[in-house]
Amino acid sequence: MLLGECRCTSRLLEALCGRRRVRVSIMKLPCSFYCSLWFLLLLGAGSLLLLVHLQDLSDMLQQQTPGAKLMVAPRWPIPKEQSFDSAVVIGINLGGGFHGAPGVEISSNPSLPTPSPRQPPAFQWLPHPATPTTGDQQAESTGQPLTKRHRKLLLKSGPVTPSGARSGEEDSRLQGLAQTQASRRRLLREVCAKYQPGVTERPVSRRQVSRVYVEDRSGLLYCEVPKAGCSNWKRVLMVLGGSATSTHIIAHDDAHYANQLRRLDAFDQAGVAERLRSYTKVLFVREPFERLVSAFRDKFESPNSYYHPVFGRPIISRYRANASRSALRTGAGVTFREFVQYLLDVRRPVGMDIHWEPVSQLCSPCLLRNDFIGKFENLKEEANFLLRSIGAPRNLTFPDFKDRNPKAERTSSSITQRYFEQLNSTERQRAYDFYYMDYLMFNYPKPFKDLY
């Protein structure tokens, strides 16, 4: 019995000794474990301090040079409530308004973006400060607090001129473009009030907006005027809408037949009314006689599988005496005089075409009251002015390439003069009368002195 008690006592002592060894090993653990833990904590704290320091430096850089290019996340497409406000970058006041149909609900189609309520731009120039600013002035203008460290750095570096500041010459150019737009809109209103009074009170038909292309992301309505840069405008709309990344990779046929652009007449009545009220309505025009000659050269002097048989054959058949069988069969070889005879004939053997239809009929500017009226004669500058004013990406500029009949010389005023010299004075006068409203609305001078 005594032996048994001794064995139990020895087992108890062994168990106690084992627990003590475990406790000793546990107490020895923190020496290495806590060293690693402290190292990780110090590393994390150092990273946090470095991050804060870099953020301070980026804030300071933005305060010193507002125009500096920093690595920030792209913000295109611009949210609708900000798209027009961003035009202040170039100093354009986008306030102002045109009457419309407020409160009209847009189409309930969930696949279509809903236009936000806003007013079209008035394209008014605002002065842009070009004088150097001090650190305090920068802090006041940006609304950001200026720390002591930033203030010292700014004082050491002296007055800061923003890298994005415009020169006086650039301000004058923008002011001139804005004033030109105001003058063109005013003239259009005056002509419409005189020759089409009350037209804005009439309902808009689908035919009147059938040539208007819609770009919802930018809030643009562009009326297509053939031979006035419409191919390149469609390329720009494709990039703005996200269906292409660059205007330079879009072929001519893709721009016209695979552009994925929607026309305004594709929307319901409420959708049409809301977009006409709140979107920027854009129109680009061209000197009417020059546009007519450009269309003739493109469609009748170059091979064309559509215009030669559809228009050429009936024109030759009606206006050419003793036409050859080959000409009657192919429709090729229409002369400019025959073409003008067709154009002025009230009983044309074939209907009107958008390439030579007057803009006053094609785009109904008196009814739609365009916000921006550009001219082909200054196409690139005015188009880029518009793109900047709507907040388009800075790397998107209006393309200036001619991909249809690229070897042919662009139709100019001198080329137009040569073609119209083939006509007698009566034919020139009748052609001028045909485009008279275009000349009047868009302030083009008489192309010949003998016109009245």
Side-chain angles (χ1 to χ4, degrees), residues 46-58:
S47 301
L48 182 60
L49 290 174
L50 179 61
L51 180 63
V52 172
H53 181 66
L54 291 175
Q55 182 65 35
D56 289 341
L57 287 178
S58 65

Side-chain angles (χ1 to χ4, degrees), residues 20 94 100 117 181 203 210 212 294 317 334 348 357 367 412 428 431 437:
R20 183 179 181 85
L94 297 178
Q181 284 303 310
S210 61
V212 178
S294 176
S317 177
V334 173
R348 300 183 188 95
E357 184 176 3
L367 178 64
S412 61
R428 285 198 298 267
M437 289 306 298

Side-chain angles (χ1 to χ4, degrees), residues 38-321:
W38 275 109
F39 176 76
L40 292 175
L41 289 175
L42 290 175
L43 182 61
S47 301
L48 182 60
L49 290 174
L50 179 61
L51 180 63
V52 172
H53 181 66
L54 291 175
Q55 182 65 35
D56 289 341
L57 287 178
S58 65
D59 292 340
M60 179 186 66
L61 180 59
Q62 285 180 309
Q63 288 181 355
Q64 287 182 332
T65 55
K69 296 182 179 180
L70 300 177
M71 294 297 293
V72 295
R75 301 184 63 184
W76 180 261
I78 299 171
K80 284 301 175 195
E81 62 273 10
Q82 299 177 1
S83 59
F84 285 96
D85 294 339
S86 62
V88 75
V89 172
I90 65 166
I92 302 171
N93 180 10
L94 297 178
F98 280 72
H99 74 283
V104 179
E105 293 296 329
I106 199 65
S107 172
S108 58
N109 190 337
S111 64
L112 302 180
T114 301
S116 61
R118 60 161 177 253
Q119 293 296 335
F123 299 99
Q124 297 175 356
W125 175 85
L126 290 177
H128 188 285
T131 57
T133 57
T134 63
D136 292 331
Q137 290 171 333
Q138 280 191 323
E140 182 179 355
S141 62
T142 58
Q144 297 179 355
L146 198 63
T147 64
K148 291 183 178 180
R149 180 160 54 88
H150 292 171
R151 189 186 302 276
K152 290 180 180 179
L153 290 173
L154 289 172
L155 289 175
K156 289 180 180 179
S157 61
V160 178
T161 301
S163 60
R166 296 191 306 269
S167 64
E169 182 179 352
E170 177 70 4
D171 277 338
S172 298
R173 186 182 69 85
L174 294 175
Q175 182 182 23
L177 289 170
Q179 290 175 345
T180 297
Q181 284 303 310
S183 176
R184 290 175 184 172
R185 289 195 304 271
R186 182 169 57 251
L187 175 63
L188 180 62
R189 288 195 300 268
E190 293 172 354
V191 172
C192 292
K194 181 177 181 180
Y195 291 92
Q196 299 184 30
V199 67
T200 55
E201 306 302 325
R202 301 172 190 171
V204 179
S205 68
R206 292 194 176 276
R207 184 192 65 80
Q208 290 168 322
V209 296
S210 61
R211 308 311 310 177
V212 178
Y213 285 87
V214 179
E215 208 301 282
D216 281 309
R217 294 170 67 177
S218 303
L220 277 184
L221 298 179
Y222 166 71
C223 187
E224 173 190 26
V225 177
K227 314 313 297 179
C230 70
S231 299
N232 283 333
W233 262 117
K234 288 179 181 179
R235 291 181 172 99
V236 169
L237 294 178
M238 291 173 69
V239 174
L240 287 174
S243 59
T245 57
S246 172
T247 58
H248 297 277
I249 62 174
I250 305 173
H252 178 272
D253 288 347
D254 291 340
H256 286 280
Y257 309 117
N259 53 45
Q260 302 179 11
L261 300 175
R262 300 195 67 182
R263 295 181 185 176
L264 191 54
D265 62 349
F267 297 88
D268 60 18
Q269 186 176 0
V272 171
E274 177 62 18
R275 284 169 173 82
L276 285 175
R277 185 192 69 81
S278 60
Y279 281 16
T280 304
K281 299 180 287 291
V282 178
L283 174 65
F284 272 79
V285 298
R286 186 176 184 176
E287 202 282 333
F289 277 11
E290 187 175 303
R291 175 174 169 247
L292 179 66
V293 172
S294 176
F296 171 77
R297 296 177 68 206
D298 181 31
K299 305 306 178 187
F300 295 102
E301 290 188 346
S302 302
N304 195 295
S305 60
Y306 174 77
Y307 282 90
H308 288 187
V310 174
F311 286 86
R313 285 191 295 192
I315 289 175
I316 292 174
S317 177
R318 171 74 67 90
Y319 306 107
R320 183 181 298 181

